[in-house]
Amino acid sequence: MLHAGMTVARINFSHGEHATHAETVQMLREVARTEGKVLALLADLQGPKLRLGHVKAGGMQLALGDEIVLTPHPGQPAMIQLPHPDLIAAVSPGSRLVIGDGEVEFAVAEKQGDTLRCIVTVPGLLGSRKGVSAPGADLAISSITPKDRTDLGMVCELDFDYVALSFVRTAEDVIELRRLMKETGCDIPIIAKIEKSEAIAHLEEIRDVADGMMVARGDLGIDMPAQEVPLLQKRIISCCNEVGKPVITATQMLQSMVEHPRPTRAEASDVANAILDGTDAVMLSNETATGSYPVESVLMMKQIAENIEPAFPYDTWRNKRQSIAPNSASTTEAISAAACSVAEQVGARAIVATTTSGYSARQIARHRPPIAIMAVSPSAKTQRRLALVWGVDCLLVPTFLHTDEMLQVTMQALEPFNLHANDTVVITAGVPFGLSGKTNMIQVQSIDAEKGLSLADDI
Ligand code: PGA
Ligand code: MN
């Protein structure tokens, strides 16, 4: 999968045990190291995902109009366990209960104490431990469950590059996770998974406190009508693009490849369209977790991306970049936007962002310049974290203190570009070097014919 194009691996804490997660992480790091690839690791906390208890082996085939009784108590014959009294309390006759990704659905007919009598409205096979959601029900439970807190300890210990929080409702949920991490002494960028209607209502506030977002279309399409998901996807993506925070588009992207070696044409279009919308990353779930064609799925995604990128609406994004309002940008933002314009105008082969935290590289990528972006950073963490960001490759370099050293590492970063005499590159940096968040310089360098292939070092 690494060779096929995987750049981030998600470990889903909804499944598996701590011991197996530790093994997986160790294996992924080892493989990335031996293969000389950059791989970021994303831990995905389950959040308040409510699940049914066990259903008989092989599942239960339900027909339209069948009656089902749900109870919070285990071991009741003729009933199915729904071990979430708070969910039962929050629904009433007429409420919908959507099972899994919507393959089965019940309508609550009657509530007697803590048991629910339901009627099957969407027939299908009911499996064990399937997710249950009650669209529109207001559950008074925190987005961070006791299980998430325990899992967070492991996430910090294993030093993940990103942590995703499921079922975020408000900015408070993200702030709470950050506070919990601080208590543990760790500081991992947070991806807010947008999969609840409440989160849609608080999108900008959540974006401002998170480090990125996920368009979690699976659960979002349950909590809200599926026909609204396409436009919501565009809104969530542009909300992140506006500020240069990475956004992931997830779920069912190549769903049919779970069982088939080729995607449907609709799926191929979906991946391409997410990229045209401005997503930083496209994600696979079942396709690579349980499917029969994990490597083929990754490769297909990469090939779709490579085919659509030349047709990206770079002109539209250039216009957006050039219409940044006066007094609205920080120095780094202004320098990053200007670097894109300068690079286009001089016909540069690449933009090289020297960066400690990765912030300037994200700000450059945010404008989607039609020119390669190379980040150079002394931080391996930054290098991995940038794997989630659109169009950025990052080279790990020794810390530099002087301009000569900077030019040296820049030349190293440009090796894959096969530069010729008079080729031009645009470099952004912060002077003095080595401080985070201080990008204040653009430099245009051309390749010196006389000195062999080195950058002309007169500044
Ligand atoms: P999940 O999140 O795969 O963890 O459920 C993504 C989604 O809901 O789309
Ligand atoms: Mn989800």
Side-chain angles (χ1 to χ4, degrees):
M1 288 197 283
L2 260 180
H3 285 296
M6 169 173 74
T7 50
V8 181
R10 171 174 82 136
I11 309 293
N12 193 346
F13 279 75
S14 290
H15 307 287
E17 309 289 327
H18 279 192
T20 51
H21 292 324
E23 270 170 36
T24 307
V25 164
Q26 201 188 358
M27 180 263 292
L28 286 165
R29 288 193 171 135
E30 178 68 21
V31 173
R33 195 178 57 75
T34 52
E35 299 304 309
K37 298 275 187 191
V38 178
L39 178 70
L41 300 182
L42 181 149
D44 194 327
L45 298 175
Q46 175 175 312
K49 177 119 186 163
L50 310 178
R51 289 180 188 277
L52 288 177
H54 284 282
V55 174
K56 70 173 187 250
M60 253 172 98
Q61 192 64 49
L62 298 175
L64 188 68
D66 278 0
E67 198 179 287
I68 286 286
V69 180
L70 300 174
T71 171
H73 312 292
Q76 302 286 317
M79 294 188 192
I80 291 173
Q81 195 196 358
L82 176 60
H84 303 286
D86 28 15
L87 173 63
I88 293 175
V91 298
S92 47
S95 297
R96 293 164 58 215
L97 290 176
V98 182
I99 315 299
D101 280 336
E103 54 270 21
V104 177
E105 195 172 316
F106 307 146
V108 176
E110 196 186 345
K111 182 147 83 169
Q112 282 173 344
D114 58 2
T115 64
L116 297 176
R117 194 169 62 81
C118 303
I119 302 296
V120 175
T121 49
V122 176
L125 185 69
L126 188 71
S128 277
R129 306 264 317 129
K130 282 283 177 190
V132 184
S133 91
D138 192 8
L139 265 75
I141 47 174
S142 161
S143 276
I144 303 168
T145 64
K147 170 174 161 53
D148 294 334
R149 285 168 196 259
T150 314
D151 290 346
L152 187 62
M154 172 125 224
V155 170
C156 289
E157 202 180 300
L158 292 174
D159 199 19
F160 274 84
D161 301 306
Y162 287 100
V163 59
L165 184 59
S166 301
F167 301 103
V168 168
R169 286 170 299 190
T170 63
E172 285 309 312
D173 294 334
V174 177
I175 294 168
E176 171 73 0
L177 177 61
R178 212 180 288 286
R179 197 185 56 74
L180 282 173
M181 276 200 274
K182 208 167 182 185
E183 274 174 16
T184 323
C186 83
D187 178 19
I188 301 175
I190 299 172
I191 304 293
K193 290 171 70 183
I194 307 301
E195 46 192 343
K196 299 278 300 168
S197 57
E198 288 100 311
I200 296 292
H202 298 106
L203 211 50
E204 276 77 18
E205 295 125 81
I206 294 171
R207 184 245 353 243
D208 289 345
V209 295
D211 300 288
M213 283 187 178
M214 184 192 291
V215 190
R217 306 187 302 182
D219 286 292
L220 183 60
I222 293 175
D223 208 53
M224 299 192 71
Q227 62 270 28
E228 291 181 18
V229 171
L231 202 54
L232 292 172
Q233 170 175 321
K234 288 176 199 291
R235 261 187 68 196
I236 299 165
I237 290 173
S238 66
C239 177
C240 284
N241 288 157
E242 269 168 28
V243 296
K245 291 186 178 178
V247 55
I248 306 166
T249 303
T251 307
Q252 295 182 334
M253 295 214 92
L254 297 176
Q255 179 68 21
S256 71
M257 288 192 79
V258 170
E259 287 167 5
H260 303 283
R262 254 181 280 278
T264 67
R265 314 314 176 242
E267 289 164 346
S269 289
D270 177 47
V271 173
N273 281 315
I275 294 167
L276 294 177
D277 285 344
T279 198
D280 286 86
V282 281
M283 190 177 103
L284 296 163
S285 321
N286 302 6
E287 298 92 335
T288 43
T290 58
S292 302
Y293 301 95
V295 180
E296 289 84 347
S297 299
V298 176
L299 193 59
M300 178 50 62
M301 223 169 206
K302 180 175 111 160
Q303 287 167 342
I304 296 166
E306 283 172 353
N307 270 280
I308 200 67
E309 268 172 9
F312 189 81
Y314 294 109
D315 290 352
T316 315
W317 287 64
R318 179 185 304 115
N319 293 340
K320 264 196 267 179
R321 181 209 312 150
Q322 286 169 349
S323 59
I324 296 173
N327 302 318
S328 68
S330 70
T331 305
T332 303
E333 285 168 10
I335 291 282
S336 303
C340 296
S341 297
V342 171
E344 282 204 83
Q345 285 162 15
V346 303
R349 292 282 308 278
I351 303 171
V352 181
T354 64
T355 178
T356 308
S357 68
Y359 180 63
S360 63
R362 284 198 281 115
Q363 287 303 319
I364 292 167
R366 163 192 158 194
H367 297 295
R368 301 289 187 268
I371 292 172
I373 307 167
M374 274 309 283
V376 294
S377 180
S379 158
K381 256 195 182 124
T382 295
Q383 184 191 39
R384 288 193 302 272
R385 286 172 183 171
L386 284 172
L388 193 61
V389 177
W390 181 91
V392 180
D393 281 320
C394 184
L395 183 78
L396 191 60
V397 296
T399 315
F400 50 80
L401 294 171
H402 307 290
T403 306
D404 292 0
E405 291 169 344
M406 180 190 87
L407 292 178
Q408 221 176 327
V409 299
T410 306
M411 203 57 218
Q412 231 181 305
L414 290 168
E415 246 163 50
F417 290 90
N418 212 353
L419 296 179
H420 299 101
N422 300 324
D423 278 352
T424 302
V425 296
V426 169
I427 304 167
T428 64
V431 180
F433 296 122
L435 298 177
S436 190
K438 287 261 178 285
T439 300
N440 53 13
M441 191 194 86
I442 302 181
Q443 193 171 338
V444 181
Q445 285 279 0
S446 45
I447 297 293
D448 195 319
E450 248 129 66
K451 294 187 185 162
L453 281 187
S454 70
L455 291 167
D457 55 5
D458 51 328
I459 300 162

